[in-house]
């Protein structure tokens, strides 16, 4: 079937100091977090930022599903601690459901 791509968006708290700290955490993520992402079937991940808006592009293999990743994350204390820490910097993007972090973006064009 080949790899699939997903685009997701999230906002950060609009505070320059918190944004700088968030970027610092992401310059070298803990190995346990890296391992949890790749073990779930994520082949490639990039996060881009403009002001306090984040855009994530994920490329995943056939083993990946968001449900499976959520189950793996819930069972992993390192991931739970990381996600709790990240909420200090993150805020729901307008239109997100309560408690929802990253939201799916619809592809509207491809060249």
């Amino acid at each position: 079937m080949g790899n699939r791509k997903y685009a997701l968006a999230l906002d950060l708290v609009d505070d320059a100091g918190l944004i700088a700290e968030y970027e610092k955490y992401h310059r070298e993520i803990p190995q346990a977090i890296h391992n949890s992402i790749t073990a779930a079937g994520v082949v490639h991940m990039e996060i881009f930022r403009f002001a306090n808006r984040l855009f994530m592009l994920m490329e995943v293999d056939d083993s990946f599903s968001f449900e499976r990743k959520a189950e793996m994350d819930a069972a992993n204390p390192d991931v739970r601690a990381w996600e709790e820490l990240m909420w200090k910097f993150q805020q729901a993007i307008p239109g997100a459901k309560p408690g929802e972090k990253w939201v799916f973006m619809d592809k509207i064009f491809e060249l």
Side-chain angles (χ1 to χ4, degrees):
M1 182 165 128
N3 292 345
R4 293 165 285 147
K5 289 183 184 174
Y6 295 97
L8 300 102
L10 176 68
D11 282 350
L12 295 174
V13 174
D14 199 3
D15 175 279
L18 287 176
I19 290 171
E21 192 177 347
Y22 185 83
E23 287 191 357
K24 183 179 176 195
Y25 274 110
H26 283 79
R27 278 195 283 280
E28 192 170 330
I29 65 170
Q31 190 62 48
I33 302 307
H34 180 278
N35 293 348
S36 75
I37 293 168
T38 57
V42 177
V43 193
H44 188 77
M45 178 184 283
E46 295 175 294
I47 299 176
F48 301 85
R49 181 181 67 79
F50 174 76
N52 70 319
R53 174 105 352 129
L54 298 177
F55 164 73
M56 177 168 53
L57 188 59
M58 288 176 43
E59 187 174 343
V60 301
D61 65 22
D62 289 338
S63 73
F64 180 86
S65 78
F66 284 97
E67 296 77 18
R68 181 171 158 264
K69 173 124 179 41
E71 289 170 7
M72 292 171 73
D73 290 351
N76 185 326
D78 292 320
V79 173
R80 289 196 316 267
W82 173 262
E83 290 299 332
E84 187 174 330
L85 174 63
M86 291 303 106
W87 263 126
K88 170 184 173 182
F89 309 100
Q90 299 166 337
Q91 62 181 358
I93 197 167
K97 297 177 184 121
E100 187 175 43
K101 282 193 175 196
W102 292 94
V103 297
F104 292 101
M105 300 179 77
D106 295 325
K107 180 164 73 171
I108 63 164
F109 177 78
E110 181 174 350
L111 182 66

